[in-house]
Short mmCIF file of all heavy atoms in Angstrom, two decimals:
data_model
loop_
_atom_site.label_atom_id
_atom_site.label_comp_id
_atom_site.label_asym_id
_atom_site.label_seq_id
_atom_site.Cartn_x
_atom_site.Cartn_y
_atom_site.Cartn_z
N LEU A 51 33.75 -67.73 29.81
CA LEU A 51 32.94 -68.62 29.08
C LEU A 51 33.59 -70.01 28.82
O LEU A 51 32.91 -71.00 28.99
CB LEU A 51 32.68 -67.95 27.69
CG LEU A 51 31.57 -68.45 26.86
CD1 LEU A 51 30.24 -68.38 27.68
CD2 LEU A 51 31.40 -67.67 25.62
N ILE A 58 30.86 -77.35 33.01
CA ILE A 58 29.66 -77.99 32.64
C ILE A 58 29.96 -79.32 32.02
O ILE A 58 29.27 -80.35 32.37
CB ILE A 58 28.74 -77.05 31.67
CG1 ILE A 58 28.14 -75.94 32.51
CG2 ILE A 58 27.68 -77.91 31.17
CD1 ILE A 58 27.62 -74.81 31.71
N LEU A 95 20.66 -78.59 32.11
CA LEU A 95 19.89 -77.41 31.88
C LEU A 95 19.57 -76.72 33.23
O LEU A 95 19.59 -75.60 33.33
CB LEU A 95 18.61 -77.73 30.98
CG LEU A 95 17.72 -76.54 30.69
CD1 LEU A 95 18.52 -75.71 29.74
CD2 LEU A 95 16.43 -77.06 30.02
N VAL A 98 22.46 -74.81 34.45
CA VAL A 98 22.81 -73.47 33.62
C VAL A 98 21.63 -72.55 34.08
O VAL A 98 21.99 -71.38 34.02
CB VAL A 98 22.75 -73.93 32.14
CG1 VAL A 98 22.80 -72.69 31.35
CG2 VAL A 98 23.90 -74.74 31.91
N VAL A 99 20.40 -72.98 33.99
CA VAL A 99 19.37 -71.92 34.29
C VAL A 99 19.59 -71.39 35.67
O VAL A 99 19.52 -70.08 35.87
CB VAL A 99 17.98 -72.58 34.13
CG1 VAL A 99 16.90 -71.75 34.72
CG2 VAL A 99 17.67 -72.89 32.74
N GLY A 101 22.43 -70.91 37.15
CA GLY A 101 23.64 -70.10 36.99
C GLY A 101 23.31 -68.79 36.31
O GLY A 101 23.80 -67.75 36.69
N VAL A 102 22.46 -68.88 35.31
CA VAL A 102 21.96 -67.67 34.61
C VAL A 102 21.14 -66.72 35.55
O VAL A 102 21.41 -65.54 35.55
CB VAL A 102 21.25 -67.99 33.30
CG1 VAL A 102 20.54 -66.79 32.68
CG2 VAL A 102 22.12 -68.65 32.31
N ILE A 103 20.35 -67.29 36.18
CA ILE A 103 19.56 -66.52 37.15
C ILE A 103 20.51 -65.83 38.23
O ILE A 103 20.25 -64.69 38.58
CB ILE A 103 18.40 -67.43 37.82
CG1 ILE A 103 17.36 -67.75 36.85
CG2 ILE A 103 17.84 -66.72 39.06
CD1 ILE A 103 16.38 -68.81 37.26
N LEU A 104 21.30 -66.69 38.74
CA LEU A 104 22.35 -66.11 39.86
C LEU A 104 23.26 -65.11 39.11
O LEU A 104 23.47 -63.95 39.76
CB LEU A 104 23.22 -67.30 40.32
CG LEU A 104 24.23 -66.89 41.38
CD1 LEU A 104 23.45 -66.46 42.61
CD2 LEU A 104 25.07 -67.99 41.77
N GLY A 105 23.63 -65.28 37.92
CA GLY A 105 24.43 -64.25 37.20
C GLY A 105 23.63 -62.98 36.99
O GLY A 105 24.31 -61.85 37.11
N ILE A 106 22.47 -63.05 36.54
CA ILE A 106 21.68 -61.80 36.41
C ILE A 106 21.44 -61.07 37.71
O ILE A 106 21.56 -59.84 37.81
CB ILE A 106 20.39 -62.18 35.71
CG1 ILE A 106 20.51 -62.56 34.25
CG2 ILE A 106 19.39 -61.01 35.85
CD1 ILE A 106 19.43 -63.06 33.53
N ASP A 127 20.46 -53.48 31.11
CA ASP A 127 19.93 -53.57 29.80
C ASP A 127 19.44 -55.09 29.54
O ASP A 127 20.22 -56.00 29.60
CB ASP A 127 21.04 -53.24 28.85
CG ASP A 127 20.52 -53.31 27.34
OD1 ASP A 127 19.42 -52.96 27.06
OD2 ASP A 127 21.23 -53.85 26.50
N GLY A 128 18.13 -55.10 29.37
CA GLY A 128 17.52 -56.50 29.08
C GLY A 128 18.06 -57.20 27.86
O GLY A 128 18.26 -58.50 28.01
N SER A 129 18.26 -56.60 26.80
CA SER A 129 18.70 -57.15 25.70
C SER A 129 20.23 -57.78 25.79
O SER A 129 20.53 -58.89 25.41
CB SER A 129 18.71 -56.35 24.39
OG SER A 129 19.58 -55.23 24.60
N SER A 130 21.01 -57.05 26.50
CA SER A 130 22.43 -57.54 26.80
C SER A 130 22.35 -58.84 27.75
O SER A 130 23.11 -59.76 27.53
CB SER A 130 23.34 -56.52 27.45
OG SER A 130 23.41 -55.35 26.50
N ASN A 131 21.50 -58.75 28.82
CA ASN A 131 21.37 -59.83 29.71
C ASN A 131 20.79 -61.07 28.95
O ASN A 131 21.24 -62.17 29.21
CB ASN A 131 20.54 -59.43 30.91
CG ASN A 131 21.37 -58.61 31.82
OD1 ASN A 131 22.53 -58.70 31.93
ND2 ASN A 131 20.60 -57.80 32.63
N ALA A 132 19.92 -60.80 28.08
CA ALA A 132 19.22 -61.98 27.30
C ALA A 132 20.23 -62.51 26.37
O ALA A 132 20.35 -63.75 26.23
CB ALA A 132 17.92 -61.47 26.60
N ALA A 133 21.08 -61.69 25.68
CA ALA A 133 22.14 -62.16 24.81
C ALA A 133 23.10 -63.01 25.53
O ALA A 133 23.51 -64.04 25.10
CB ALA A 133 22.77 -61.02 24.07
N ALA A 134 23.50 -62.52 26.80
CA ALA A 134 24.44 -63.37 27.54
C ALA A 134 23.86 -64.66 28.00
O ALA A 134 24.57 -65.67 27.96
CB ALA A 134 24.90 -62.52 28.81
N ALA A 135 22.59 -64.68 28.34
CA ALA A 135 21.95 -65.98 28.72
C ALA A 135 21.87 -66.91 27.63
O ALA A 135 22.15 -67.98 27.70
CB ALA A 135 20.58 -65.62 29.32
N LEU A 136 21.54 -66.35 26.28
CA LEU A 136 21.45 -67.19 25.10
C LEU A 136 22.81 -67.72 24.78
O LEU A 136 22.89 -68.97 24.44
CB LEU A 136 20.88 -66.37 24.08
CG LEU A 136 19.33 -66.09 24.13
CD1 LEU A 136 18.89 -65.23 22.91
CD2 LEU A 136 18.57 -67.38 24.20
N VAL A 137 23.84 -67.02 24.89
CA VAL A 137 25.23 -67.49 24.66
C VAL A 137 25.58 -68.53 25.63
O VAL A 137 26.21 -69.62 25.22
CB VAL A 137 26.18 -66.35 24.61
CG1 VAL A 137 27.70 -66.79 24.68
CG2 VAL A 137 26.03 -65.42 23.43
N MET A 138 25.17 -68.41 26.91
CA MET A 138 25.56 -69.45 27.90
C MET A 138 24.71 -70.69 27.56
O MET A 138 25.36 -71.75 27.68
CB MET A 138 25.06 -68.95 29.21
CG MET A 138 26.00 -68.90 30.44
SD MET A 138 27.74 -69.45 30.04
CE MET A 138 27.75 -70.95 30.83
N LEU A 139 23.48 -70.64 27.14
CA LEU A 139 22.74 -71.78 26.77
C LEU A 139 23.34 -72.40 25.61
O LEU A 139 23.33 -73.76 25.54
CB LEU A 139 21.22 -71.40 26.61
CG LEU A 139 20.47 -71.06 27.89
CD1 LEU A 139 19.10 -70.52 27.54
CD2 LEU A 139 20.36 -72.14 28.76
N ALA A 140 23.76 -71.62 24.67
CA ALA A 140 24.40 -72.38 23.39
C ALA A 140 25.65 -73.04 23.88
O ALA A 140 25.86 -74.19 23.42
CB ALA A 140 24.64 -71.14 22.45
N ILE A 141 26.48 -72.43 24.64
CA ILE A 141 27.79 -73.01 24.99
C ILE A 141 27.55 -74.30 25.85
O ILE A 141 28.18 -75.30 25.70
CB ILE A 141 28.63 -71.99 25.76
CG1 ILE A 141 29.09 -70.86 24.93
CG2 ILE A 141 29.83 -72.71 26.48
CD1 ILE A 141 30.08 -71.35 23.80
N THR A 142 26.44 -74.20 26.69
CA THR A 142 26.04 -75.34 27.49
C THR A 142 25.64 -76.51 26.63
O THR A 142 26.06 -77.65 26.92
CB THR A 142 25.01 -75.03 28.55
OG1 THR A 142 25.43 -73.94 29.35
CG2 THR A 142 24.53 -76.09 29.35
N THR A 143 24.83 -76.22 25.65
CA THR A 143 24.37 -77.21 24.73
C THR A 143 25.59 -77.91 24.07
O THR A 143 25.66 -79.21 24.01
CB THR A 143 23.43 -76.63 23.69
OG1 THR A 143 22.33 -76.01 24.37
CG2 THR A 143 22.90 -77.68 22.79
#
Side-chain angles (χ1 to χ4, degrees):
L51 194 59
I58 290 166
L95 187 63
V98 172
V99 168
V102 166
I103 290 170
L104 183 64
I106 289 173
D127 181 40
S129 61
S130 296
N131 286 332
L136 288 175
V137 167
M138 232 9 254
L139 288 173
I141 292 296
T142 300
T143 302

